[in-house]
Amino acid sequence: MKKGILLILTGASSVGKGDIRDLLMEDDDLHLFYSISMTTRPKREDEIDGKDYYFVDYEAFAQAVRNKDLLEFAEFDGYYYGTPRKQVDFLLNSGKNVLIEVEAQGVGQIKLKHPDAVSVFVMPESIEELEKQIRLRYNDEASAKRRISKASVEMELASLFVHQVKNTDPKQAAEQIKSYVQEALGKE
Ligand code: 5GP
């Protein structure tokens, strides 16, 4: 069976990856399956365990790392995030197209195992706009500052990506990303 396409969406914190992801997931032409990550971060009020993330404690996460159950993992703002390997492999091997949303540190680890993955770096409209979005989302100043400083480091990684998409309008950004996936599907 023909393997599915792996789409990796990355970019700085609060750049709007979530909105773009939702639009891509709703797109019937792409038939994307979302890979649910595992995290040690506490669940936010509006989140659902098993839908937004698998929320686990540190020990369970460490066990998953030891068992090599994660395709990649990274630390972000004091918490661990990782992509369950079996779920992604199963979907790709069943011919499904899979979307993974990760922060930039994780992309290299995924590309080693899936060199054909389509990876897209989402850029903010401007650094000022990104800072504004981070401050809107995180009213705890220390947390906002950490994310702003991490965002500027992550932006340095953008040039390593073949596909960079500016998020001025999530709909336009999603359309652009869709064209990259369709190009990759056509190539096979
Ligand atoms: P949040 O806590 O806001 O949901 O996510 C923080 C950051 O972790 C975001 O940039 C998000 O893309 C990233 N992230 C979510 N899941 C994963 C994952 O499985 N692996 C990696 N490396 N990063 C992730």
Side-chain angles (χ1 to χ4, degrees):
M1 182 189 283
K2 201 168 134 193
K3 271 183 109 180
I5 292 278
L6 180 59
L7 170 63
I8 311 170
L9 203 58
T10 192
S13 166
S14 304
V15 76
K17 294 183 295 253
D19 292 341
I20 298 175
R21 177 191 71 200
D22 291 347
L23 288 166
L24 289 167
M25 293 300 301
E26 282 164 14
D27 194 316
D28 291 337
D29 297 336
L30 294 176
H31 298 293
L32 285 168
F33 284 72
Y34 181 60
S35 158
I36 303 162
S37 296
M38 184 184 274
T39 184
T40 60
R41 167 170 75 60
K43 190 169 85 63
R44 296 182 187 133
E45 235 171 60
D46 58 339
E47 290 177 323
I48 299 170
D49 189 16
K51 176 174 173 281
D52 297 291
Y53 283 105
Y54 297 114
F55 294 96
V56 297
D57 61 18
Y58 178 81
E59 191 37 57
F61 196 96
Q63 191 59 49
V65 173
R66 280 196 292 272
N67 292 348
K68 301 196 174 11
D69 286 342
L70 302 178
L71 179 58
E72 61 77 43
F73 69 97
E75 186 265 352
F76 185 85
D77 201 25
Y79 299 111
Y80 288 93
Y81 296 81
T83 308
R85 188 167 51 83
K86 273 194 195 137
Q87 176 186 270
V88 172
D89 286 348
F90 173 77
L91 289 168
L92 290 176
N93 291 333
S94 323
K96 313 279 191 231
N97 301 322
V98 179
L99 189 159
I100 302 184
E101 187 210 309
V102 293
E103 55 76 64
Q105 273 181 70
V107 178
Q109 297 172 62
I110 303 174
K111 280 286 221 174
L112 280 177
K113 287 165 198 147
H114 296 276
D116 296 335
V118 176
S119 50
V120 179
F121 193 98
V122 181
M123 301 283 284
E125 210 178 320
S126 65
I127 292 287
E128 293 74 26
E129 180 59 27
L130 183 65
E131 283 201 26
K132 196 175 120 197
Q133 291 304 324
I134 293 178
R135 286 190 195 283
L136 276 176
R137 202 190 266 196
Y138 303 96
N139 41 25
D140 153 30
E141 179 60 16
S143 178
K145 274 202 168 137
R146 281 198 302 277
R147 283 170 192 256
I148 290 166
S149 102
K150 180 132 196 295
S152 60
V153 175
E154 287 196 317
M155 301 283 286
E156 301 281 318
L157 298 174
S159 60
L160 301 174
F161 287 76
V162 177
H163 301 306
Q164 294 175 24
V165 172
K166 198 177 252 194
N167 189 17
T168 339
D169 167 30
K171 271 197 187 146
Q172 262 178 26
E175 278 301 318
Q176 207 176 330
I177 295 168
K178 178 178 177 177
S179 72
Y180 299 144
V181 175
Q182 286 180 321
E183 192 192 330
L185 284 166
K187 260 190 210 158
E188 287 187 273

